[in-house]
Amino acid sequence: MPLPFLAADRDFGTTASDAALPHAGIDQWRRPYRLGPQRVAISALALLLAAYLLISALIIAVAGTVGAAAATLLLAGCVIAFALRVLRMGIWVSPRGLRRVGLLSTKTLRWREIERVSTVQQPVRWLGLPRTVQGQAVHIEPRRGEPLAPLLTDHNADFLTRADAFARASDVLEAWAAEHRH
């Protein structure tokens, strides 16, 4: 009996139902790089804290104080939302444009609004803190308006110890901009 999972000796068909791996549609927003270990660690610790808060809310509710249990449950929900937003933060691209997702805001630019995407050598903030170090940053020059803050730096939470990943991500962003901007 053949099993439907992927194996090296499996004969792949050409129909859509026999495709090797599912993939995102052409119009989907996608991140052109992998998350850094620092960002994943922050989210994991936040989710661990949320688990403790949920258990605490259960214990408080059993003890009889419903108001305190509701407040603890609300706090756990906020911590979970924070952890998910930290994982979502970063740069996303699609044929429609470029999207920068921050902790509290999201900004989307269409490719026709962008004049140039380039990598420059400059002082950058280390992990988003006030301390600056010499590094590289990916900049956007919009067709109109003021220049935007750097998209990515080689010292942020996704690329701190991964210079080769930063180089690949900056090349991919520049390629997307060259291909889709008209």
Side-chain angles (χ1 to χ4, degrees):
M1 176 173 117
L3 296 175
F5 61 86
L6 296 177
D9 60 348
R10 182 175 169 197
D11 184 28
F12 296 107
T14 58
T15 63
S17 64
D18 292 337
L21 293 173
H23 61 280
I26 191 77
D27 287 334
Q28 296 292 322
W29 289 96
R30 60 190 80 160
R31 187 190 318 259
Y33 56 90
R34 291 180 186 228
L35 287 175
Q38 290 85 2
R39 191 178 306 277
V40 174
I42 289 169
S43 294
L45 289 174
L47 290 173
L48 183 65
L49 174 65
Y52 283 119
L53 287 171
L54 289 171
I55 291 170
S56 298
L58 178 66
I59 292 170
I60 292 170
V62 170
T65 313
V66 177
T72 307
L73 189 63
L74 180 66
L75 181 60
C78 292
V79 172
I80 291 170
F82 168 78
L84 294 176
R85 191 63 182 193
V86 166
L87 290 175
R88 182 104 171 105
M89 287 172 52
I91 304 302
W92 298 77
V93 293
S94 84
R96 292 177 289 196
L98 185 137
R99 179 175 286 171
R100 169 191 256 162
V101 178
L103 187 61
L104 300 175
S105 67
T106 299
K107 181 170 178 78
T108 303
L109 289 173
R110 298 200 179 275
W111 289 116
R112 65 176 175 260
E113 298 172 356
I114 297 173
E115 181 67 31
R116 189 172 78 169
V117 176
S118 60
T119 304
V120 296
Q121 192 83 11
Q122 70 175 37
V124 295
R125 293 170 54 172
W126 184 75
L127 288 176
L129 299 171
R131 177 180 176 217
T132 60
V133 295
Q134 190 64 26
Q136 296 182 34
V138 176
H139 276 278
I140 288 184
E141 293 179 22
R143 293 192 190 274
R144 287 178 293 218
E146 297 181 20
L148 301 173
L151 281 182
L152 300 172
T153 68
D154 60 348
H155 285 82
N156 69 6
D158 289 321
F159 303 109
L160 185 59
T161 58
R162 305 175 337 150
D164 55 335
F166 175 79
R168 279 192 309 262
S170 63
D171 289 345
V172 167
L173 285 173
E174 290 173 10
W176 269 84
E179 181 180 340
H180 294 288
R181 142 189 99 203
H182 298 290

